Amino acid sequence: MGTRVSYPVEVKLKAIEMRLEGIPVKEVMETLQIRNRIQLKTWMRWHRNGEAYRLAQPVGQSYTH
């Protein structure tokens, strides 16, 4: 089992911005050194659903806002 990776909020926001500009997932992952494509998809889902506050939560933590 691997170790958990914590990405700064700035990286998450940059990844969302790049995806909204139409940059492919693979290129975003390579540019920002994101290991898991599902993580990027999760950030995009949070953005679409208006749950941007979740981008700042710690790894392994979930809470209601």
Side-chain angles (χ1 to χ4, degrees):
M1 186 157 208
T3 59
R4 293 182 181 203
V5 178
S6 177
Y7 296 99
V9 175
E10 296 79 21
V11 170
K12 297 174 187 179
L13 292 173
K14 181 64 177 173
I16 291 169
E17 180 183 313
M18 290 173 75
R19 285 296 296 137
L20 292 175
E21 291 173 358
I23 298 171
V25 172
K26 188 172 183 176
E27 188 176 330
V28 173
M29 289 176 60
E30 289 173 359
T31 303
L32 300 177
Q33 299 297 306
I34 298 170
R35 292 185 186 178
N36 190 334
R37 83 182 310 118
I38 299 300
Q39 186 64 71
L40 180 54
K41 290 181 182 285
T42 299
W43 298 337
M44 289 301 297
R45 185 177 69 243
W46 290 347
H47 175 76
R48 272 194 314 276
N49 294 338
E51 300 174 336
Y53 64 89
R54 295 181 76 172
L55 297 173
Q57 72 189 19
V59 173
Q61 300 292 314
S62 61
Y63 57 86
T64 57
H65 188 267

